[in-house]
Amino acid sequence: MTELINGTGTGAGAGKGQGQGQGQGLSLVPKAEARQSLKDFKSDQEVRWCPGCGDYAILAAVQSFLPELGLKRENIVFVSGIGCSSRFPYYLNTYGVHSIHGRAPAIATGLAASRPDLSVWVITGDGDALSIGGNHLIHALRRNVNLNILLFNNRIYGLTKGQYSPTSEVGKITKSTPMGSLDKPFNPISLALGAEASFVARTLDSDRKHLQSVLREATAHRGASLVEIYQNCNIFNDNAFEPLKDPEVRDDITLKLEHGLPIASASKAVVRAADGGLEVVPRQSVDPARILVHDAHRPDPSVAFALSRLDEPAFEHVPIGIFRQVDRPSYDTLMAAQLEEAVAQKGQGDLAGLLTGGDTWRIG
């Protein structure tokens, strides 16, 4: 768990094995003058989701988490696209943009690149981010823009009343797939790692303690962070993640990802297979020395990618936690340096002179 002190990350998840840029995600964002509380971040808007929706739990977790950052509310911006999750900005007493379908990462990129004094968040869903918004998502991650992207994954289209989504499992029967979906679903974690995202994590809507611990690490990170949140849609895809929440089986299913610790659940462990890949074996049957120790700071994403594929047999075992947390230059920092270099070489630009210069021409 990371403590945020003046915009730097400290604690078990920060520092060791990371570059100097790590922990600077909030370093340029102005601090609030007075101590804040959850009440300061609640807007006056009526929260309008279906009763029992997992979005309520995520909203409550974020509202109670934001005060500990100690940032000015006018320097925090939540940008969303279209979908149930995209109502999020209405319910936070910060700045917000309810944008267009799939384009939240593009709009947020403009904000983050031009305003380093802002803490910029993207709120999106599996349909919004991975269908029409897939291109924008992967390029925001590839560029390593200084954004926090929260991807609510309920494996269904909820706002449009229950069609299958890019993360719905094969054979999923919905209003748009009455005989079962034929599509192999996206794995958001694998997709993010394939795009070379510098921070990738997975958590649950109902586990507030774990969700907030991941948010602390994500906000301390300088660059793009993607946090997949398994979120229950109790109307159109109820109990999709119930095994991970059931007290009787969750400890056996959940493979905990904590940097520097063995990757295991109560009854299972991750080891190197004979072919060099990863496999899950009964924990009691293996020498503890063989259990893979998690290295979230490993520059090569191949092991993190292999971990992301371990949940392919549906909910036999699911890795939960931070898959990757590495330091590399953020897009906005590189862009600012390039602009400074251009000014140093050529001086401040003259927009009026450009518009009236010799290369202009008229029509009519």
Side-chain angles (χ1 to χ4, degrees), residues 11 27 33 45 69 85 89-90 181 205 234 278 307-308 314 350 353 358:
S27 60
E33 296 178 357
Q45 299 298 299
L69 298 180
S85 65
Y90 291 104
S181 169
D205 58 0
N234 59 311
L278 303 181
L307 286 170
S308 75
D350 181 1

Side-chain angles (χ1 to χ4, degrees), residues 282-295:
R283 187 168 186 172
Q284 300 303 320
S285 70
V286 65
D287 181 349
R290 284 192 61 208
I291 301 176
L292 186 68
V293 174
H294 186 43
D295 184 1

Side-chain angles (χ1 to χ4, degrees), residues 25-30 65-66 69 71-79 94-95 108 111-112 115-122 146-148 218-220 222:
L26 303 175
S27 60
L28 300 178
V29 184
F65 160 74
L66 288 174
L69 298 180
L71 304 178
K72 286 187 175 182
R73 289 176 297 163
E74 58 267 35
N75 289 83
I76 302 174
V77 184
F78 282 80
V79 183
T94 65
Y95 276 105
L111 277 171
R115 290 287 303 274
D117 61 325
L118 298 179
S119 174
V120 183
W121 299 69
V122 171
N146 193 31
L147 304 170
N148 301 306
T219 52
R222 180 73 185 179

